[in-house]
Amino acid sequence: MSAGPTTPAADAPLQGRALRIVFAALMLGMFLAALDQTIVSTALPTIVGDLGGLNHLSWVVTSYLLASTISTPIYGKLGDMRGRKPIFLAAILIFLAGSMLAGLSQTMGELIAFRALQGIGAGGLMVSAQAVIADIVPPRERGRYMGLIGSVFAVASVAGPLLGGFLVENLSWRWVFYVNMPIGALAVAIVWFRLHLHTPHTRHRIDYVGAALLSGCVAALIMLTTWGGSEYAWGSTMIVGLGIAGVTLLAAFLWWETRAPEPILPLTLFRSSVFSVACAMGFAIGMAMFGAIIFIPLFLQLVYGASPTSSGLRLLPLMAGLLVASIASGRAISHIGRYKAFPIAGTAILIGGMYLLSLLGVGTAPWLASVYMLVVGVGIGLVMQVLVLVVQNDVQPQDMGVATSTATFFRSVGGAFGVAIFGTIFATRLADQLARFPRSVVDRLGSGVHLNPAQAKRLPPTVHADFLHAFSTSLHGVFLWGMLIAVIPFALSWFLKEVPLRTTLHRTAELSAEEAAAGGTPPEELVEPYARADTAG
């Protein structure tokens, strides 16, 4: 069977310098998406001073998170259907349009809307970049690249607040968004001219109903976890209504996906124990990681009196551990061709790191806190990106995008639930601690949850000391719960089937001669349309 004529550029394997250039462009795209999750944090006070709308401030962050999470599985399926390159280019152009418009915003409403547009592009950047790598690098060699992707998130987490603070102080808060333009333009140019991938020519039916049901379900659940316990009481009509809506839409989505001709998230993927276990691990790790780590900067600012910028710098040990572990584990996986030991080791170290964080207190030396954070970073780095590699190694090429997006999606939703759950645990424990204070002190502190570092410093010395002790004690429960939740992926990791990593790009390329003789499609016919993306290895 012939694939028909193709251009030399399309047939040439992507390797060496050409591969490094394309990979750099993909990392730039992912860096922008990860950076914009954190870069606005230090600019928010200035933005409110310019645009007003303090009561809608949280939506500047929430709209981005919501849009990027909703769009993630949709981009994965579209990439499988329409080709990875046009979808990645569309995502980065949407992101850049959102960035430019956000910088031009004149009201808080406009900024929130354009941040959502940014988020729609960001969801595609994160998924498409990882799926493109799966198209051009075999799993056996992919480990080292996945390790570098993990380092992108580590660098962006630290660089975001620092770069945001620098731009606000020296230029304008609008440059927090404008800074994306030149970086994004470079990524577009490289991908446009240097990346040559197979584009499917088969006609597809887009699952609009499935996309709408999934978007509604995710939106309801994320708003529930974002608003619950903060904007609205957990038992309020709004939160209960969102919960009912989310569960109803989820049930409708699952029902529809079993009947859709081309489901946006094929439920057949979950028949594989490897895929199911990896997604479950990603969800639990997202809960433990995002839910607990979000409280570390708060501890650094309240207990050590660090400024927001300084607290970002003090997170460097955590990010360094994540960066080094991601890169080292990626290279090791590429060398030995196996992966199971790394999730087991990573989750075990994460359990230990969460326990160490539970020991943080008012008297903990800063250097010791740095060691604790380093341990947590190493644990996360050993497991986070490996799970994406695991699901990519398990699925057929036509499902590569949706498998990648599903793994990312479960981790993001797990993080949203973790933030909500741990926030409730912290608020409840702190309220119990403050209930023991004299009535006059309680009236001054309020709930204590929203007390910022500047307000805490203005408390009388004795009250300040007691409050910090209550605050630290309340955090112990958060990290201990993080430790318990980290036990779940540790237990699951033992059930993660060890599948040797392929040295070719697609599972179909490795059909045995016996399988072909038994009636299977000959390997050369299955691989031919993808040959120009394969490597010499």
Side-chain angles (χ1 to χ4, degrees):
M1 177 173 114
S2 175
T6 56
T7 64
D11 281 331
L14 197 60
Q15 54 188 336
R17 184 171 179 268
L19 175 59
R20 290 193 294 271
I21 291 174
V22 169
F23 182 68
L26 298 176
M27 288 186 70
L28 284 176
M30 291 196 69
F31 179 74
L32 289 177
L35 186 72
D36 268 63
Q37 291 179 337
T38 58
I39 195 172
V40 298
S41 59
T42 48
L44 287 177
T46 307
I47 291 173
V48 170
D50 190 8
L51 301 182
L54 178 62
N55 54 327
H56 301 301
L57 180 64
S58 63
W59 274 101
V60 176
V61 177
T62 303
S63 61
Y64 184 90
L65 171 66
L66 184 62
S68 61
T69 304
I70 288 173
S71 63
T72 294
I74 298 173
Y75 274 111
K77 184 62 176 179
L78 287 176
D80 290 335
M81 293 169 62
R82 305 296 189 188
R84 225 74 70 191
K85 179 176 176 177
I87 297 301
F88 181 81
L89 288 172
I92 197 166
L93 290 174
I94 291 171
F95 179 84
L96 293 179
S99 299
M100 176 59 72
L101 292 171
L104 295 172
S105 298
Q106 299 302 311
T107 66
M108 185 61 78
E110 290 181 2
L111 179 60
I112 291 170
F114 297 140
R115 281 284 288 170
L117 184 61
Q118 265 193 309
I120 292 173
L125 289 178
M126 292 185 181
V127 171
S128 299
Q130 295 180 85
V132 167
I133 294 168
D135 279 348
I136 61 179
V137 180
R140 179 64 182 264
E141 300 300 321
R142 203 179 301 155
R144 67 185 66 179
Y145 295 96
M146 287 299 182
L148 290 171
I149 285 176
S151 70
V152 168
F153 289 96
V155 173
S157 298
V158 175
L162 297 179
L163 181 58
F166 174 81
L167 292 173
V168 169
E169 291 175 8
N170 294 278
L171 294 170
S172 161
W173 65 264
R174 299 180 185 278
W175 277 95
V176 167
F177 305 108
Y178 294 154
V179 72
N180 295 327
M181 306 307 294
I183 302 175
L186 177 61
V188 167
I190 294 175
V191 171
W192 181 272
F193 291 108
R194 304 302 293 269
L195 179 62
H196 305 286
L197 291 175
H198 168 69
T199 300
H201 296 291
T202 307
R203 290 185 62 85
H204 294 276
R205 296 177 61 182
I206 299 177
D207 182 14
Y208 293 108
V209 175
L213 290 172
L214 181 61
S215 299
C217 168
V218 174
L221 294 178
I222 288 184
M223 286 192 289
L224 183 151
T225 56
T226 302
W227 286 347
S230 55
E231 298 288 331
Y232 301 93
W234 282 105
S236 66
T237 303
M238 175 64 77
I239 298 302
V240 172
L242 286 171
I244 294 173
V247 172
T248 302
L249 289 169
L250 176 61
F253 170 74
L254 294 175
W255 174 84
W256 174 259
E257 292 301 274
T258 61
R259 289 157 176 78
E262 291 192 58
I264 195 166
L265 201 167
L267 301 183
T268 53
L269 292 175
F270 292 94
R271 294 175 183 171
S272 165
S273 63
V274 174
F275 186 86
S276 299
V277 169
C279 287
M281 287 181 63
F283 182 86
I285 286 171
M287 286 185 68
M289 180 175 69
F290 293 109
I293 290 176
I294 195 173
F295 288 95
I296 295 178
L298 189 59
F299 173 85
L300 296 173
Q301 292 179 40
L302 278 171
V303 176
Y304 293 148
S307 66
T309 302
S310 177
S311 67
L313 287 173
R314 291 184 185 226
L315 285 173
L316 280 174
L318 189 151
M319 301 309 166
L322 196 159
L323 189 151
V324 173
S326 285
I327 295 176
S329 62
R331 295 183 69 86
I333 289 171
S334 291
H335 179 69
I336 64 178
R338 294 182 176 271
Y339 54 77
K340 184 171 181 176
F342 296 93
I344 292 174
T347 49
I349 293 172
L350 182 60
I351 292 171
M354 287 295 178
Y355 172 74
L356 292 175
L357 289 180
S358 73
L359 303 179
L360 290 174
V362 177
T364 305
W367 69 267
L368 195 56
S370 297
V371 173
Y372 296 168
M373 287 186 278
L374 178 67
V375 174
V376 172
V378 169
I380 295 171
L382 286 175
V383 65
M384 188 168 70
Q385 288 303 124
V386 175
L387 295 178
V388 176
L389 174 62
V390 168
V391 299
Q392 289 181 342
N393 186 58
D394 184 61
V395 299
Q396 297 287 357
Q398 65 268 23
D399 292 324
M400 190 67 70
V402 75
T404 303
S405 65
T406 302
T408 305
F409 173 76
F410 270 91
R411 188 176 65 206
S412 298
V413 174
F417 275 96
V419 170
I421 291 170
F422 290 142
T424 301
I425 293 170
F426 173 67
T428 303
R429 289 177 59 89
L430 184 56
D432 291 341
Q433 291 288 324
L434 295 182
R436 303 170 188 173
F437 282 43
R439 183 66 187 177
S440 59
V441 175
V442 173
D443 290 340
R444 181 167 184 174
L445 290 173
S447 68
V449 176
H450 303 293
L451 194 69
N452 62 44
Q455 292 172 322
K457 288 178 182 178
R458 290 197 294 267
L459 293 172
T462 53
V463 176
H464 184 246
D466 290 340
F467 172 75
L468 290 184
H469 177 75
F471 173 83
S472 299
T473 302
S474 302
L475 273 186
H476 294 169
V478 171
F479 294 127
L480 284 174
W481 272 101
M483 181 188 74
L484 292 175
I485 291 176
V487 171
I488 297 173
F490 174 71
L492 288 172
S493 65
W494 292 93
F495 296 95
L496 189 65
K497 185 180 177 182
E498 177 77 271
V499 180
L501 296 175
R502 306 185 310 275
T503 56
T504 56
L505 282 172
H506 306 292
R507 291 177 65 188
T508 50
E510 296 183 351
L511 284 174
S512 65
E514 292 79 6
E515 289 176 304
T521 306
E524 63 273 11
E525 293 188 12
L526 287 163
V527 176
E528 188 173 359
Y530 300 93
R532 90 244 164 278
D534 209 345
T535 66

